[in-house]
Amino acid sequence: MKGRDEMGKTENNIVTVLVENNAGVLARVVSLFGRRGYNIESLTVATTKDKRTSYITIVVNGDKDILDQIIKQVSRLEETISVRPLEESRALSRELLLIKFAINDKTLTSIHEISSIYGATIVDLAPDTMIVELTSNTSKIDAFLSIMKKYDIIEICRTGVTALERDSQKLK
Amino acid sequence: MLLTGAEIVIETLAEQGVDVVFGYPGGSVLEIYDALYKSDKVRHILTAHEQGAAHAAEGYSRASGKVGVALATSGPGATNLVTGIASAFMDSIPVVFLTGNVPTSVIGKDSFQEIYIAGITMPITKHNFIVRKIEDLADTIRNAFTIAMSGRPGPVLVDIPRDISQATTEYIPEHARTPKPLPRIFRDDLRLAAQAIYEAKRPMLFLGGGVVSSNAAAVVKKFIKRTDMPVCHSLMATGILKTNDPYNMGMVGMHGSATSAHAVQKCDLLVTLGSRFSDRVATNARQFAPNATIIHIDIDAAEIDKTIHAGIGLVGDIKSVLTALLPLIEQKDCSDWRNELTEYKNSNEYRPAENKNVLVPKTIIETLWKKFSKEAIMTTDVGQHQMWAAQYCNSGRSRSFLTSGGLGAMGFGYGASIGASFACPDRRIIHITGDGSFHMNIAEICTAVTYSLPIITVVLNNEALGMVRQLQHVAMGDRFSTTIHGRKTDFAAVARGFGAQGFTCRTQKEFLKALEAAKQTLDRPTVIDCTIAQELLVLPMIPSGKSAADIITE
């Protein structure tokens, strides 16, 4: 039996939701999160190999009780086919970062060098700016960004997490 | 057979067993109303306002257990339904709401009377649909019924653009939908529950609205006999047991009985049937039933552990779970525990001051139950009168106390009474209201007059917005901001103006006389305006955030 005062620690959790690919389905999921006061850290959505379904990957901050409620509440939606939390150890997660720098002769080389170390690639180079792309997991992207902070960043854009479970189990 | 969308709407409703629809016409539903005019399969009840239609549809459902239906036009017609939709949603009442909308070609262009009602109602419906192809219309309406009645019931909205009503397609009749299969009950959980009940010394049964929606009153009564447990209930389960039933310790929560509050504190097992432990029940969730293991039986898995952690959580329909659980339970004897509570009740329960010279809420409600007994269905609005009506409800019958519990929508009662009148034409509908609530949708008297519904409205008139006034007394240092309104409405005269019967009463004698006249009048509604003292409080009271230890009884 669970203790009633048990307060879990808050952390980021990945929840994957398979939904029917109907108009407005994303709005329904997001509306539910808004209504119940769950905090979305990131959200990605795209159709699956079956065009009638979409796969939503949500990163949400909360303790175990909140995660439990989210899964139950999202399950209640008529268009939800399945909801699964992704354990970190079993999740293969990626997000994409695009970052635009203002550059000069001095910074160009060092940005290039750090990017290489992180496996990031330069996707656009203009006389005064460059854009670097990095696809990785969230913690590596965070680390990359914290190093790059000292350079003259014009804009940052990241996609949010998309994830799959490592073994071959289907989401169904 | 080739039919228009409008005709398909009517045919599909009829095929789904709908005999009455509450609604209001308008431009976007012209074709649907034309189809209604030509068909005799579905009866349409015109209300004064779409909100009245929405409450009527939920009242119909609350009284009958069937799916209610309301119909409105686009734009303001649809937005006027919203309070009723939310009320049905909060109390898990199955209702299908049909709205017209502008033609698909002009949707999204801010057309006249265009509103994105699917967006507005997304968080207050179980599901909603916009019909975009005529071929989908019949199945969408059928699915709306399935969703509304399956699992935890609730409202579903179907938005029908005008060109869909106008288009034609092949219609093939189908059978009425039935609810989706119930979730499987796990034997191990049942055994755990039976064991906990067997071991408990001070068990308590707590009835919630789920007992009503699963039509489980009969099996619940068997369960009470077998386990010998004392019982408390939420507002939504009012009326299942009579107030004077020796097992009934009363309502639990903010305005529940002192005995129930005490019992919930003391019990070592709380068997909860279909309640969601709202903040009006568990005024302080952390201190609710602090000494008890909680068995929580609910159709909605999301309710288990939502507010209160359940030691044993059983997901399932109350009726099916109890039916499966009963054979595992031996006859139990809780007489010591019950006697202890009865003693507590006799010496500690709150009793309002009696006064033979003036009208008091307790006497009014008790008189009504004496006069009409099991024949009555009581509906309420929201406020002090609602709590008094619940505290003294002596029905003993499920679906006989209809109230807007979760949403707490003032103005619910008259519409609900109209709906209940059509659901149960052989019973007498008593509408308890206050002078604040009655003003909100008073125009619906015209509907009861049109359809000769003998609804009896009893206004507990304290010339104030009493519940807020009470909160201002408790929490705002008697600064009665706007609640002593100074209105001069003569409700009896207003009733007569609508073509109803009206009385004003200041004494019990006058009340009895008016009530007798109302009882004899079967062809039109009656309004009985009862003057009560302004300073009366609904007691006991456990303020928000406080626990049973902080109960106020004077």
Side-chain angles (χ1 to χ4, degrees):
Chain A
M1 187 167 47
K2 271 189 254 176
R4 63 179 65 205
D5 290 326
E6 183 181 276
M7 288 291 284
K9 57 178 188 320
T10 30
E11 53 184 28
N12 281 346
N13 301 281
I14 303 173
V15 179
T16 58
V17 190
L18 187 66
V19 293
E20 289 170 29
N21 186 17
N22 299 340
V25 64
L26 180 63
R28 255 179 243 285
V29 174
V30 172
S31 160
L32 171 68
F33 275 70
R35 177 161 87 84
R36 303 237 171 227
Y38 308 139
N39 221 343
I40 297 179
E41 297 290 322
S42 81
L43 182 146
T44 61
V45 57
T47 54
T48 63
K49 63 174 182 179
D50 179 352
K51 287 270 178 278
R52 291 167 304 175
T53 64
S54 288
Y55 190 70
I56 306 177
T57 310
I58 306 167
V59 178
V60 63
N61 191 271
D63 61 17
K64 205 196 146 296
D65 283 351
I66 290 176
L67 183 66
D68 186 52
Q69 263 298 304
I70 287 172
I71 291 164
K72 285 172 171 175
Q73 294 292 352
V74 175
S75 303
R76 283 188 1 167
L77 296 175
E78 288 297 322
E79 290 161 323
T80 299
I81 299 164
S82 65
V83 190
R84 282 245 300 268
L86 263 191
E87 277 173 45
E88 210 166 355
S89 58
R90 287 159 60 113
L92 186 70
S93 69
R94 286 291 180 269
E95 61 176 309
L96 170 71
L97 167 78
L98 290 174
I99 179 165
K100 187 195 274 181
F101 298 97
I103 49 166
N104 54 43
D105 291 347
K106 267 192 267 172
T107 54
L108 172 61
T109 332
S110 49
I111 291 173
H112 183 205
E113 275 170 16
I114 299 167
S115 295
S116 311
I117 294 167
Y118 275 84
T121 45
I122 294 164
V123 285
D124 184 70
L125 185 59
D128 300 321
T129 64
M130 72 191 273
I131 299 176
V132 173
E133 171 193 326
L134 174 61
T135 304
S136 189
N137 58 35
T138 302
S139 59
K140 197 166 161 190
I141 285 177
D142 288 343
F144 180 66
L145 278 175
S146 77
I147 287 184
M148 287 306 193
K149 242 181 356 205
K150 60 184 171 195
Y151 298 102
D152 191 358
I153 296 171
I154 300 170
E155 265 180 287
I156 292 174
C157 193
R158 56 200 283 189
T159 58
V161 172
T162 191
L164 281 177
E165 208 165 1
R166 282 183 193 273
D167 73 9
S168 61
Q169 268 191 315
K170 266 192 187 166
L171 185 83
K172 205 150 193 182
Chain B
M1 116 188 85
L2 206 61
L3 295 183
T4 65
E7 290 163 341
I8 290 172
V9 170
I10 307 307
E11 289 298 324
T12 316
L13 290 177
E15 136 205 319
Q16 294 302 312
V18 175
D19 49 11
V20 60
V21 170
F22 305 91
Y24 204 97
S28 295
V29 288
L30 266 184
E31 285 76 13
I32 297 178
Y33 273 80
D34 195 47
L36 269 168
Y37 184 81
K38 292 177 192 157
S39 162
D40 55 3
K41 289 186 172 168
V42 176
R43 187 172 182 201
H44 178 273
I45 305 302
L46 177 72
T47 54
H49 186 289
E50 288 89 351
Q51 187 184 348
H55 292 317
E58 55 162 335
Y60 175 90
S61 178
R62 287 172 197 255
S64 66
K66 290 168 66 180
V67 178
V69 181
L71 169 63
T73 192
S74 62
T79 55
N80 281 345
L81 292 176
V82 167
T83 303
I85 299 174
S87 173
F89 183 73
M90 293 291 272
D91 291 343
S92 308
I93 307 300
V95 182
V96 170
F97 291 93
L98 302 174
T99 49
N101 211 333
V102 299
T104 45
S105 57
V106 291
I107 278 184
K109 301 196 191 303
D110 305 315
S111 311
F112 177 66
Q113 293 194 332
E114 181 196 355
I115 277 293
Y116 179 37
I117 195 66
I120 290 175
T121 58
M122 201 172 273
I124 52 167
T125 49
K126 262 188 95 174
H127 195 60
N128 59 26
F129 299 93
I130 302 171
V131 182
R132 293 176 195 276
K133 287 191 303 200
I134 175 75
E135 295 77 24
D136 295 341
L137 179 61
D139 274 347
T140 304
I141 295 172
R142 289 169 187 140
N143 287 341
F145 277 83
T146 309
I147 294 168
M149 66 174 100
S150 297
R152 177 179 185 166
V156 181
L157 180 132
V158 182
D159 194 33
I160 306 168
R162 189 164 177 199
D163 53 324
I164 304 292
S165 292
Q166 292 165 333
T168 50
T169 193
E170 194 63 26
Y171 166 77
I172 303 156
E174 282 187 15
H175 290 298
R177 290 288 180 92
T178 49
K180 287 183 204 159
L182 297 168
R184 214 179 101 219
I185 306 161
F186 294 97
R187 299 292 302 172
D188 286 355
D189 293 339
L190 285 177
R191 261 183 234 116
L192 274 176
Q195 183 67 22
I197 291 166
Y198 175 77
E199 284 168 6
K201 300 270 184 294
R202 298 184 308 282
M204 192 77 197
L205 186 63
F206 172 32
L207 312 180
V211 174
V212 179
S213 36
S214 83
N215 296 311
V219 65
V220 164
K221 284 173 187 173
K222 269 191 212 165
F223 184 82
I224 296 168
K225 265 197 176 158
R226 179 77 55 84
T227 59
D228 201 36
M229 279 186 203
V231 184
C232 61
H233 62 84
S234 74
L235 178 67
M236 296 312 297
T238 300
I240 294 173
L241 295 186
K242 286 178 173 259
T243 34
N244 58 11
D245 184 307
Y247 283 85
N248 189 0
M249 299 300 148
M251 188 159 74
V252 69
M254 184 170 279
H255 293 298
S257 70
T259 314
S260 273
H262 171 79
V264 169
Q265 287 300 101
K266 295 276 279 187
C267 68
D268 62 356
L269 179 72
L270 189 70
V271 182
T272 304
L273 305 180
S275 165
R276 57 189 172 84
F277 299 108
S278 86
D279 57 311
R280 286 298 185 269
V281 163
T283 44
N284 183 327
R286 281 169 177 277
Q287 286 163 36
F288 188 77
N291 303 305
T293 299
I294 289 168
I295 299 179
H296 193 177
I297 306 176
D298 203 287
I299 187 90
D300 182 0
E303 288 305 337
I304 314 273
D305 292 341
K306 185 181 85 177
T307 307
I308 304 263
H309 280 298
I312 300 167
L314 269 152
V315 178
D317 169 67
I318 307 292
K319 194 172 166 181
S320 326
V321 173
L322 284 195
T323 307
L325 185 58
L326 262 178
L328 308 182
I329 296 171
E330 284 173 39
Q331 182 62 46
K332 201 173 162 72
D333 177 8
C334 295
S335 49
D336 286 351
W337 163 233
R338 282 193 298 103
N339 290 340
E340 184 191 323
L341 291 179
T342 309
E343 247 167 63
Y344 185 92
K345 192 179 190 171
N346 292 337
S347 46
N348 296 301
E349 191 52 83
Y350 167 75
R351 276 176 194 79
E354 306 265 338
N355 191 334
K356 292 259 183 289
N357 301 318
V358 295
L359 279 165
V360 291
K362 181 174 189 279
T363 323
I364 293 173
I365 307 295
E366 286 177 347
T367 306
L368 286 165
W369 285 108
K370 259 186 220 134
K371 190 105 185 153
F372 292 95
S373 150
K374 281 197 159 187
E375 191 208 347
I377 292 177
M378 191 172 273
T379 68
T380 78
D381 277 295
V382 170
Q384 287 186 311
H385 71 272
Q386 177 193 27
M387 292 299 111
W388 285 318
Q391 288 175 337
Y392 308 119
C393 174
N394 211 18
S395 162
R397 207 171 152 180
S398 195
R399 301 193 181 278
S400 299
F401 183 80
L402 315 184
T403 197
S404 176
L407 187 67
M410 292 171 72
F412 162 88
Y414 214 91
S417 303
I418 292 165
S421 299
F422 286 97
C424 306
D426 53 336
R427 294 177 69 184
R428 214 49 202 273
I429 315 301
I430 318 275
H431 167 225
I432 308 293
T433 187
D435 49 298
S437 284
F438 199 28
H439 269 113
M440 285 213 172
N441 282 331
I442 196 164
E444 291 301 340
I445 298 173
C446 76
T447 310
V449 169
T450 303
Y451 297 98
S452 309
L453 309 176
I455 296 165
I456 301 172
T457 295
V458 178
V459 189
L460 304 189
N461 189 345
N462 61 357
E463 295 182 8
L465 309 179
M467 187 55 101
V468 180
R469 184 195 167 281
Q470 171 166 346
L471 292 171
Q472 289 166 337
H473 169 69
V474 173
M476 297 290 146
D478 280 347
R479 292 182 300 282
F480 298 123
S481 177
T482 72
T483 49
I484 297 170
H485 47 60
R487 291 172 185 161
K488 301 280 177 256
T489 311
D490 178 347
F491 287 112
V494 170
R496 288 192 286 273
F498 275 110
Q501 191 172 216
F503 300 97
T504 310
C505 310
R506 293 186 173 277
T507 63
Q508 175 71 1
K509 201 176 152 197
E510 287 172 350
F511 177 59
L512 284 172
K513 204 174 149 205
L515 197 56
E516 187 50 37
K519 192 176 180 179
Q520 300 306 329
T521 307
L522 295 173
D523 61 346
R524 64 202 154 115
T526 301
V527 172
I528 305 175
D529 183 7
C530 297
T531 304
I532 61 165
Q534 191 170 74
E535 62 280 1
L536 290 178
L537 300 178
V538 177
L539 293 174
M541 177 180 185
I542 303 174
S544 244
K546 300 285 177 68
S547 73
D550 310 299
I551 196 163
I552 302 169
T553 52
E554 57 186 332

